[in-house]
C-alpha cells in the first residue's frame, strides 16, 4: 500500500522521469517499466498513480506547459513597454527550464502525440493560442494591422527553433535561439513600418 503523503512526490518523480525518458530516447515508444525504473519505483506503482502510459504522457505535457507558462508570466511581469513584452515572450521561450535537451525532445514528441490523442491536441492548441495572443497584445501598438501576421511568424520561428535544435548534438543555446527570433521580429517590424509609410 502506498505511504500517505507520498503520492504527489511519486507522481512528480514519474512525470519528470517521463520527460527525461522521452527526451533521451527521442520517441514516445518508451515503456512504463523504463519510466518507473528511472523514477526509482515499480511499474505497478506507476500504473497505480496514472493508470496508463497515455495518462503519464499527458501529465508530462501539462508539466512542461506549466513550466513554460510560469517563465512567460515572470518575464512579462518584469517587461517594460510593448517591445519589451515581445522580447520577454521570446526569451522566456528559450529559458533553460524549457530549452534543454530532454524538454526539447519531449516537446517534439508531444506534437506527434497530438496527432492521435485529442487531449494532447487540446493542450497544444491552448499553448499556441496563448502564445499568439500574448505576442499580438505586445505587437499591436508597434505594428497595428500587421501585428497578427508578425505574431504568427514569430511563433512559427520559436517552434521552428525547437525543431532545428532537436537535430543538433551539442548543448542547446537559448540565447542564440532567442537572438535569431528577435532578428526576425525586428526585420518584420521594420517592414511593417515601411509599408505603413508608403500607404500614407
Amino acid at each position: 500500500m502506498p505511504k500517505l503523503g507520498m503520492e504527489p512526490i511519486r507522481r512528480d518523480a514519474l512525470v519528470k522521469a517521463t520527460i527525461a525518458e522521452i527526451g533521451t530516447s527521442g520517441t514516445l515508444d518508451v515503456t512504463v517499466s523504463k519510466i518507473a525504473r528511472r523514477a526509482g519505483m515499480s511499474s505497478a506503482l506507476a500504473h497505480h498513480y496514472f493508470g496508463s502510459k497515455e495518462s503519464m504522457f499527458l501529465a508530462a505535457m501539462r508539466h512542461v506547459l506549466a513550466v513554460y507558462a510560469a517563465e512567460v508570466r515572470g518575464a512579462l511581469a518584469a517587461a517594460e513597454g510593448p517591445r519589451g513584452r515581445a522580447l520577454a515572450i521570446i526569451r522566456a521561450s528559450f529559458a533553460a527550464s524549457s530549452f534543454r535537451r530532454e524538454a526539447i525532445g519531449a516537446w517534439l514528441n508531444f506534437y506527434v502525440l497530438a496527432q492521435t490523442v485529442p487531449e494532447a491536441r487540446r493542450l497544444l492548441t491552448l499553448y499556441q493560442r496563448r502564445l499568439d495572443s500574448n505576442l499580438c497584445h505586445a505587437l499591436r501598438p508597434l505594428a497595428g494591422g500587421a501585428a497578427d501576421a508578425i505574431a504568427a511568424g514569430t511563433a512559427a520561428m520559436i517552434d521552428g527553433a525547437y525543431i532545428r535544435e532537436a537535430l543538433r548534438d551539442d548543448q542547446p543555446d537559448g540565447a542564440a535561439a532567442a537572438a535569431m527570433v528577435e532578428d526576425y521580429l525586428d526585420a518584420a517590424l521594420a517592414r511593417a513600418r515601411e509599408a505603413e509609410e508608403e500607404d500614407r
Side-chain angles (χ1 to χ4, degrees):
M1 183 178 215
K3 293 179 185 174
L4 288 175
M6 288 301 291
E7 180 171 351
I9 295 167
R10 286 180 173 156
R11 285 177 70 91
D12 184 62
L14 284 164
V15 162
K16 288 175 179 168
T18 301
I19 294 165
E21 202 60 49
I22 292 170
T24 302
S25 67
T27 178
L28 293 168
D29 192 24
V30 294
T31 63
V32 172
S33 62
K34 212 167 179 189
I35 293 168
R37 197 176 313 122
R38 185 183 279 266
M41 62 189 83
S42 69
S43 56
L45 203 52
H47 278 292
H48 168 76
Y49 287 127
F50 287 100
S52 70
K53 188 165 72 169
E54 184 178 295
S55 296
M56 213 175 291
F57 287 163
L58 291 171
M61 263 185 89
R62 288 187 193 97
H63 177 81
V64 167
L65 291 167
V67 168
Y68 171 71
E71 287 283 359
V72 171
R73 282 195 303 272
L76 286 173
E80 293 183 13
R83 186 172 184 278
R85 289 178 64 82
L87 295 183
I89 294 163
I90 292 168
R91 290 170 187 168
S93 297
F94 299 106
S97 57
S98 295
F99 203 63
R100 56 188 172 84
R101 185 60 52 214
E102 294 86 1
I104 290 166
W107 269 102
L108 262 63
N109 280 284
F110 293 152
Y111 270 96
V112 172
L113 189 67
Q115 303 304 304
T116 56
V117 178
E119 179 61 10
R121 179 181 288 271
R122 187 188 72 80
L123 289 170
L124 281 176
T125 299
L126 283 174
Y127 149 73
Q128 288 176 331
R129 284 180 184 159
R130 194 164 293 134
L131 176 58
D132 286 350
S133 173
N134 283 334
L135 286 167
C136 281
H137 179 72
L139 294 171
R140 203 153 280 125
L142 300 171
D148 287 358
I150 295 173
T154 304
M157 287 285 291
I158 290 169
D159 287 345
Y162 272 76
I163 293 169
R164 288 173 65 89
E165 192 60 48
L167 301 174
R168 293 162 52 94
D169 294 324
D170 50 354
Q171 263 317 99
D173 187 342
M180 179 179 65
V181 179
E182 288 169 24
D183 285 347
Y184 163 81
L185 175 63
D186 287 339
L189 288 172
R191 283 193 301 273
R193 282 192 296 270
E194 287 169 10
E196 189 180 338
E197 287 169 9
E198 285 173 8
D199 288 343
R200 285 177 185 166

